[in-house]
Amino acid sequence: MATHVTTVFTLTGQQDRLRQIADERAYRTCAPDQMAWENDTTLVMTLESGIGTSFLGHGLGLSDEYPDVSIRGMEYFDCFDSPAFAKWQGGQLVYEADLITVFGILFPTDATKDWPGCSASFWHRSPPLAAAIAENCPDFDLMPLRRLAGPVPGWVETTDGFATLFLRPPSTPDAQDGLGVILYPEIGRSTLVTGIDRFGGVARFRRQSYGQISASCPELRAVLRDRWNVSEKKRRKARQEREVLRRRLKKAEGERGDSVFSFVETDPWVM
């Protein structure tokens, strides 16, 4: 099955110039019905299932041909979990950022709404990350979460029914001191995310035991203990199911007389 790819180029410039470009690029970059005017000076071209060349290569070609307009590009595969962003100005590449997702979960990042306004995503931090997020996702900001009530002062919480995120947002808009705890109580897994900034960029994430997490975040100890204890029966059942699968794989491996199954990860929830 082919991987679905969506590529979007946003061109900003004088209206007459953009209309000329739209006429020239019709059926070259995309079909006319895949071009849309965001406003009088912004033309958006959407390409489905790839463009026959690399995302950056195609953007560079557009910027070479039209250096008098500003071009922003975005590409993602199947979903928006790990998009790529780029910008060209005056025929030159300004930034290129691949947003590699560490973790994403629905969260009301707009504190005025009582529903999950967007996905609070956490990415490997890179130098162009802030510019890419601020320009392409202007409504994404973790700072408003500081106004929400949480399980303990300074922390907020959300869950998708499987994973639970405890987040301490950055202390100031320019800080990179946010902290996140991702808890999977039903399977006995937890991850610590450190160095979070307002755009979701992270310095490091690593899986840690429940005890290590509790030691690192003593203010959350009571809350984590409650969540952990509630799911003890489900964790025990999951361990039993993994053990049954291991025995079946070992038996099959012995019958075949080789180690063809030895590479199989019997725990599907490895992070």
Side-chain angles (χ1 to χ4, degrees):
M1 180 181 294
T3 301
H4 183 76
V5 183
T6 300
T7 307
V8 180
F9 288 107
T10 302
L11 284 65
T12 304
Q14 296 182 353
Q15 185 180 35
D16 291 343
R17 178 58 166 154
L18 293 181
R19 291 192 181 280
Q20 176 190 351
I21 293 173
D23 290 339
E24 292 177 354
R25 304 304 300 191
Y27 297 109
R28 291 177 60 196
T29 296
C30 62
D33 61 359
Q34 290 181 301
M35 297 182 183
W37 290 91
E38 191 172 288
N39 52 54
D40 290 343
T41 59
T42 305
L43 175 65
V44 180
M45 301 179 180
T46 301
L47 298 80
E48 301 289 344
S49 298
I51 52 182
T53 185
S54 71
F55 163 57
L56 288 175
H58 199 95
L60 179 60
L62 286 174
S63 68
D64 285 344
E65 192 166 352
Y66 309 112
D68 54 326
V69 301
S70 174
I71 302 173
R72 286 186 292 115
M74 177 186 71
E75 184 171 81
Y76 56 95
F77 294 77
D78 287 333
C79 63
F80 197 73
D81 283 346
S82 297
F85 293 110
K87 180 180 181 180
W88 294 265
Q89 188 82 47
Q92 300 295 318
L93 181 65
V94 178
Y95 64 72
E96 186 267 322
D98 287 319
L99 275 60
I100 308 302
T101 304
V102 171
F103 180 74
I105 192 170
L106 288 177
F107 214 127
T109 53
D110 183 344
T112 65
K113 300 175 182 177
D114 59 0
W115 51 273
C118 75
S119 176
S121 297
F122 302 92
W123 334 83
H124 289 284
R125 184 155 49 240
S126 63
L129 174 66
I133 291 292
E135 191 161 35
N136 294 278
C137 310
D139 297 326
F140 183 88
D141 190 351
L142 296 178
M143 295 308 292
L145 294 176
R146 292 179 57 85
R147 299 196 294 267
L148 299 180
V152 296
W155 291 78
V156 291
E157 175 187 1
T158 191
T159 182
D160 59 7
F162 176 63
T164 297
L165 170 68
F166 298 94
L167 175 66
R168 190 185 71 193
S171 57
T172 67
D174 296 327
Q176 298 179 351
D177 58 359
L179 195 62
V181 173
I182 307 168
L183 190 66
Y184 300 85
E186 294 185 6
I187 60 172
R189 294 290 171 84
S190 51
T191 300
L192 184 66
V193 185
T194 59
I196 300 172
D197 61 32
R198 68 184 302 174
F199 300 110
V202 306
R204 187 179 182 189
F205 74 104
R206 59 190 182 279
R207 195 170 73 189
Q208 290 193 338
S209 68
Y210 162 72
Q212 290 173 314
I213 294 285
S214 295
S216 300
C217 309
E219 66 272 34
L220 287 178
R221 188 169 295 152
V223 178
L224 294 173
R225 182 173 61 248
D226 289 344
R227 305 293 192 279
W228 194 260
N229 290 340
V230 165
S231 300
E232 172 58 30
K233 290 183 178 179
K234 292 183 178 179
R235 283 200 305 278
R236 187 181 305 117
K237 181 179 179 181
R239 288 195 297 269
Q240 292 171 347
E241 291 175 348
R242 289 197 297 271
E243 183 58 33
V244 170
L245 179 56
R246 288 192 185 96
R247 288 199 299 266
R248 288 177 178 174
L249 291 176
K250 187 175 181 179
K251 179 180 179 181
E253 185 176 306
E255 291 175 349
R256 289 178 61 93
D258 56 31
S259 57
V260 67
F261 293 99
S262 61
F263 66 89
V264 176
E265 171 56 64
T266 56
D267 183 349
W269 305 113
V270 172
M271 290 188 59

